[in-house]
Every structure is written in structure tokens, then in C-alpha cells.
Amino acid sequence: FAAEGPVFCSGHDLKELSSEDDVKHHSQVFELCAEVMTLIQRLPVPVIAKVNGLATAAGCQLVASCDIAVASEKSQFATPGVNIGLFCSTPAVALGRSLPRKVALEMLFTGEPLSAHEALMHGLVSKVVPEDRLEEETMKISQKICESSKSVLALGKATFYRQITQDLDTAYKITTKVMVDNLTLRDGQEGIEAFVQKRKPVWSH
């Protein structure tokens, strides 16, 4: 995900949330947003946010929902809904799973932004680079990912999100089975054979 201009994403259009619309319309707006955020994690490919500017409210939620986020040094992240009487409860779902609880709650209670470097320090973004290197660094990560097997990446991503909410024993039971399943994939065997034979693997996709 990327954007043009000084704002990465400012979240919902507040005009859609006025009292002129009914509860059903408001429910549809937030349900669609939740569907988009959860779909990102269900996609079988990694999703990268390339952030060059301000990401607020649902825009901040979008960054937190992506698998990887690369930000320019000028980027900022905020959940300022509390300041206009609309607490960022749905963004809190993604923020609470990406940030330490006290950092997330400070953002949610105050609406004050995190700088790019603060976002990196607390784990909201993966990397911070100068603005003129943002495209290059994002593509570098993308290209490295594209060198791997698509089926293995899909299995790995799905498993990561499945196990992360589990207790330790359950997480290891899930991932132990998946490691065995991974070996049954054509690309699982191809990767091992290529390593033993000291050659580049030829993935099935």
C-alpha cells in the first residue's frame, strides 16, 4: 500500500459518519473497514505498507494491519479520534496487537502522534529510511520476498497469524504439524535438494 501527497491515509471520511446517516449505514462503514483489515492477514502473499506522511485513525490501523511497514523519516502515526469525540476503538484492535499496551493506550487516550523513529522503536513499522530511499528500500524487501516459494510463503503467513494468538503449547503443536506439512510440498523438497546440491532452487510457481 502506498499513497501520493503528504498523507498516507487519514482514515474514515467523517462526512460518512454524520447524524444524517442511520445506524445501518454507520455499521456498514465499520464492518467494511474491519473486513479490509482482516483480509490483509488472510491474503496468501505478504502485504507491505510504504508510508510517506501522516497515517491517522483507520490509516494508522491499516499500517498496523500490514505484514511489513516501511516508513520515511517524515512519517507520523496517530489515533486522534478521542479529540473529536469518536474513540479509535477499531484501530485499537490492530494497534493493541502491534504495540506494547501502554504505548497503544497513550496514543488512543491522547491522540498525540508517534514519530517514525518512535513507531520503529515500538514495533509499529519495520524500517525507517530517508524519504529519497523509501521506494528503493520497499522494493528491495519486495524483491527479496519474491525470490521465495509462493506456496511456502502462503503457508508460513497463514500459520504465523494462526499461532500468534495461541498459548505456547498450542502454538508449538500447530507449527510442528505445519513444518511436517511444509516438507510434503513440492517446493519444500525442492528447497532442501537445492541446498544439498548447492544450486538455486526452482520454485513451482
Side-chain angles (χ1 to χ4, degrees):
F1 285 111
E4 292 181 7
V7 176
F8 171 75
C9 180
S10 58
H12 291 288
D13 179 354
L14 295 180
K15 291 173 187 169
E16 285 191 341
L17 305 177
S18 71
S19 58
E20 292 172 16
D21 295 305
D22 59 16
V23 170
K24 184 180 176 186
H25 172 77
H26 294 159
S27 294
Q28 288 171 339
V29 169
F30 290 113
E31 284 166 10
L32 180 60
C33 182
E35 188 181 336
V36 169
M37 301 301 170
T38 54
L39 182 61
I40 290 169
Q41 292 185 357
R42 290 183 184 139
L43 288 172
V45 293
V47 179
I48 303 173
K50 183 179 83 170
V51 187
N52 189 28
L54 187 62
T56 63
C60 190
Q61 179 184 3
L62 180 61
V63 175
S65 298
C66 287
D67 303 312
I68 297 171
V70 185
S72 69
E73 291 172 328
K74 75 174 190 180
S75 299
Q76 290 188 306
F77 306 85
T79 49
V82 68
N83 298 327
I84 59 162
L86 184 64
F87 196 87
C88 287
S89 293
T90 48
V93 174
L95 279 182
R97 285 161 169 74
S98 295
L99 292 166
R101 184 175 299 181
K102 287 177 174 58
V103 176
L105 286 170
E106 183 179 347
M107 287 180 73
L108 292 160
F109 290 156
T110 68
E112 289 296 304
L114 287 184
S115 69
H117 287 288
E118 287 171 325
L120 177 64
M121 179 174 68
H122 295 304
L124 182 58
V125 300
S126 320
K127 188 175 277 195
V128 174
V129 297
E131 185 178 5
D132 62 359
R133 283 185 42 220
L134 182 60
E135 176 70 16
E136 176 192 344
E137 286 296 322
T138 306
M139 289 309 297
K140 192 170 157 186
I141 294 169
S142 300
Q143 286 160 358
K144 182 62 182 168
I145 290 169
C146 288
E147 291 173 10
S148 296
S149 160
K150 189 175 179 182
S151 59
V152 171
L153 284 169
L155 179 66
K157 176 175 172 174
T159 305
F160 178 86
Y161 285 113
R162 189 171 152 219
Q163 64 82 27
I164 201 70
T165 57
Q166 304 296 322
D167 64 80
L168 196 63
D169 288 341
T170 305
Y172 272 119
K173 281 178 187 169
I174 290 167
T175 54
T176 298
K177 183 181 182 307
V178 170
M179 293 292 286
V180 174
D181 293 343
N182 196 156
L183 286 171
T184 67
L185 294 178
R186 178 178 160 189
D187 283 353
Q189 287 302 311
E190 167 60 18
I192 291 170
E193 287 172 18
F195 180 82
V196 171
Q197 296 167 9
K198 296 181 171 57
R199 63 173 174 81
K200 278 194 169 184
V202 180
W203 305 124
S204 59
H205 71 270

